[in-house]
């Protein structure tokens, strides 16, 4: 929890805003972010999904202070204690209901991944239900992964840090991006009941070999044949490499939204219509690689093309090397930095280490007082991999110490 006299760490632009807010909450350091879309003529300042994330952080913490300038281009955030779904701190009956507004253009994973990083360090279990016209459970063109990939490719990684009990992500109502690429009216519940004092130190230097591939093909408000066509085209590529390939099919009706349009009978209109595919490959050492594709809101792409595209993306993710893919690398590296004061090591592909997002994460961690990362060539004979060494800071769970 930050103190009033503590000077904030200064950042500029909206890049990596969610990551910086998460690191500030975990370390208790206040931050000030300026120049948030100052030159935009139509969308100056904080976007709807960023404001919604701030509201979520305020709900799962106690004592947080958020100050936004009149134009929305400057933000000061002083984090409080992470309380989770503790009674009397925003939760009703042990559940926090967070409503996402219709203007949100990001998938629900934009909120889930930071929330999962905060949950192990919460004073009480985390139980959050995301509702509202802006909840999108599918992947998006902005680079967000689907809720299925969070459940199958992100949450299982927490077990490597000794965090594995009472963790569940439930997709109560599916949705894709609505018209104009905004909103979806889905519903998702995250239950994270395993809180720890410190995560275990990670040593993962053997990616292993791919032993099986699983996936979920989903469609909302469209014929079920779209799932079958995506599955057939994806397996046409994957079966020649991995025999143990199984893709589930999930079919659901489109959610309804209230509408005042004359063309909408009964004052309701369908939204979140579309289809998509999520694939996850698991190696013999428990490493996970994922890929996501989804139909655009305007349509026009046949299911066969999406199935082939997803299968090729999965193979590209595996070909990058290392024991962790790009979508999961920020989560793993952050947990390694928060673990006990020991040196953790992980094998990562050179393409992932040189990615702009990972470089920015390393710089931000340095600004928050974490130690620098060490790099060396992998000794396993792979020219595309490096070993990243991180000394844990031993931040710990302040809430559990107090209770």
């Amino acid at each position: 929890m930050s103190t009033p006299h503590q000077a904030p760490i200064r950042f500029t632009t909206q890049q990596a805003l969610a990551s910086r807010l998460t690191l500030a909450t975990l370390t208790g350091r206040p931050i000030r972010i300026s120049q948030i879309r100052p030159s935009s003529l139509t969308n100056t300042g904080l976007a709807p999904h960023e404001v919604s994330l701030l509201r979520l952080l305020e709900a799962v913490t106690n004592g947080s202070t958020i100050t936004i300038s009149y134009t929305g281009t400057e933000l000061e955030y002083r984090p409080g204690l992470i309380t989770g779904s503790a009674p009397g701190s925003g939760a009703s009956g042990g559940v926090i209901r967070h409503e996402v507004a219709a203007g949100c253009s990001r998938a629900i994973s934009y909120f889930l991944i930071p929330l999962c990083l905060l949950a192990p360090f919460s004073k009480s279990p985390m139980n959050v239900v995301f509702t509202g016209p802006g909840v999108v459970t599918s992947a998006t063109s902005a680079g967000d992964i689907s809720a299925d990939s969070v459940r199958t490719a992100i949450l299982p990684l927490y077990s490597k840090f000794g965090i594995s009990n009472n963790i569940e992500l439930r997709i109560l109502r599916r949705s894709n991006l609505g018209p104009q690429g905004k909103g979806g009216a889905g519903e998702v519940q995250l239950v994270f009941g395993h809180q720890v004092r410190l995560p275990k130190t990670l040593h993962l230097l053997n990616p292993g070999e791919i032993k099986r591939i699983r996936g979920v093909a989903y469609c909302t408000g469209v014929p079920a044949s779209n799932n079958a066509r995506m599955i057939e085209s994806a397996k046409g590529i994957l079966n020649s490499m991995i025999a143990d390939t199984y893709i589930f099919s999930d079919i659901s009706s489109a959610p309804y939204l209230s509408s005042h349009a004359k063309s909408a009978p009964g004052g309701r209109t369908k939204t979140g219509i579309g289809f998509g595919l999520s694939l996850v490959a698991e190696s013999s050492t428990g490493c996970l690689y994922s890929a996501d594709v989804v139909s655009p809101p305007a349509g026009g792409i046949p299911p066969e093309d999406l199935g082939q595209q997803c299968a090729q993306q999965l193979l590209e993710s595996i070909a990058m090397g290392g024991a962790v893919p790009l979508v999961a690398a920020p989560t793993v590296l952050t947990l390694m930095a928060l673990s006990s004061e020991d040196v953790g090591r992980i094998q990562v592909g050179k393409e992932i280490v040189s990615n702009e997002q990972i470089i920015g994460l390393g710089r931000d961690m340095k600004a928050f007082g974490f130690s620098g990362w060490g790099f060396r060539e992998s000794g396993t004979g792979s020219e595309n991999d490096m070993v990243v060494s991180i000394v844990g800071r031993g931040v710990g769970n302040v809430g559990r110490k107090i209770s």
Side-chain angles (χ1 to χ4, degrees):
M1 186 173 180
S2 63
T3 55
H5 64 273
Q6 198 171 16
I9 303 172
R10 296 181 177 272
F11 297 102
T12 58
T13 76
Q14 71 280 1
Q15 298 296 329
L17 183 105
S19 174
R20 288 167 177 172
L21 290 173
T22 304
L23 290 173
T25 308
L26 289 168
T27 58
R29 297 289 302 276
I31 61 172
R32 177 184 287 272
I33 304 175
S34 59
Q35 301 180 26
I36 303 175
R37 302 182 184 90
S39 58
S40 176
L41 299 178
T42 57
N43 299 305
T44 306
L46 292 167
H49 59 271
E50 294 165 345
V51 175
S52 184
L53 178 61
L54 288 169
R55 288 177 39 243
L56 177 63
L57 292 177
E58 187 179 24
V60 300
T61 59
N62 184 21
S64 295
T65 303
I66 302 171
T67 306
I68 303 174
S69 67
Y70 179 77
T71 58
T73 57
E74 291 189 10
L75 162 70
E76 182 171 318
Y77 173 64
R78 291 185 175 271
L81 182 68
I82 308 172
T83 55
S85 301
S89 58
S92 177
V95 179
I96 296 176
R97 299 188 68 86
H98 181 72
E99 184 170 347
V100 183
C104 182
S105 59
R106 303 295 294 266
I108 196 63
S109 59
Y110 177 82
F111 306 94
L112 289 174
I113 293 176
L115 192 62
C116 290
L117 279 172
L118 300 179
F121 306 94
S122 173
K123 181 178 180 180
S124 300
M126 197 84 74
N127 191 341
V128 182
V129 176
F130 294 89
T131 61
V135 176
V136 178
T137 63
S138 68
T140 65
S141 57
D144 300 319
I145 62 177
S146 66
D148 293 283
S149 292
V150 175
R151 177 176 55 84
T152 57
I154 301 294
L155 290 182
L157 296 175
Y158 283 80
S159 63
K160 298 184 180 298
F161 297 89
I163 307 169
S164 58
N165 300 328
N166 195 20
I167 302 175
E168 187 177 1
L169 180 61
R170 305 165 184 162
I171 303 175
L172 306 178
R173 184 167 60 240
R174 288 191 177 274
S175 62
N176 288 46
L177 281 174
Q180 290 82 46
K182 295 181 180 180
E187 188 170 350
V188 174
Q189 181 179 14
L190 174 66
V191 178
F192 208 117
H194 193 169
Q195 281 65 48
V196 296
R197 288 288 296 272
L198 282 173
K200 293 182 179 179
T201 303
L202 178 66
H203 296 279
L204 188 56
L205 302 176
N206 181 16
E209 297 182 355
I210 302 300
K211 64 177 182 179
R212 61 168 166 255
I213 296 175
R214 295 292 182 265
V216 177
Y218 53 88
C219 63
T220 308
V222 295
S225 60
N226 290 288
N227 280 1
R229 293 161 65 184
M230 283 190 296
I231 293 172
E232 184 178 0
S233 61
K235 292 182 71 173
I237 296 176
L238 299 174
N239 274 345
S240 59
M241 303 177 186
I242 304 294
D244 189 2
T245 301
Y246 189 84
I247 304 175
F248 300 87
S249 178
D250 192 322
I251 306 161
S252 58
S253 58
Y256 283 88
L257 281 179
S258 298
S259 174
H260 301 288
K262 295 182 179 179
S263 58
R268 298 198 307 166
T269 180
K270 286 184 178 181
T271 187
I273 298 174
F275 51 90
L277 179 62
S278 168
L279 294 176
V280 177
E282 183 181 355
S283 74
S284 55
T285 56
C287 299
L288 301 171
Y289 308 87
S290 64
D292 263 300
V293 295
V294 65
S295 61
I301 300 181
E304 290 83 0
D305 290 355
L306 287 181
Q308 293 176 4
Q309 181 183 347
C310 193
Q312 291 166 357
Q313 282 186 12
L314 181 64
L315 296 178
E316 289 175 1
S317 178
I318 298 171
M320 283 185 179
V324 60
L326 178 59
V327 295
T331 296
V332 173
L333 294 174
T334 302
L335 287 173
M336 289 176 67
L338 294 168
S339 62
S340 57
E341 298 178 11
D342 197 0
V343 181
R345 298 177 178 86
I346 186 170
Q347 186 166 318
V348 183
K350 291 183 178 179
E351 289 186 44
I352 298 174
V353 173
S354 61
N355 184 270
E356 182 181 357
Q357 179 186 4
I358 304 303
I359 295 174
L361 176 65
R363 289 174 177 170
D364 290 346
M365 284 187 174
K366 191 72 173 177
F368 280 99
F370 291 95
S371 61
W373 300 348
F375 300 94
R376 65 174 174 83
E377 293 290 335
S378 173
T380 59
S382 175
E383 298 180 355
N384 298 325
D385 291 353
M386 298 187 70
V387 174
V388 180
S389 302
I390 300 178
V391 179
R393 186 182 175 185
V395 172
N397 190 329
V398 179
R400 289 180 68 87
K401 292 177 184 177
I402 294 176
S403 61

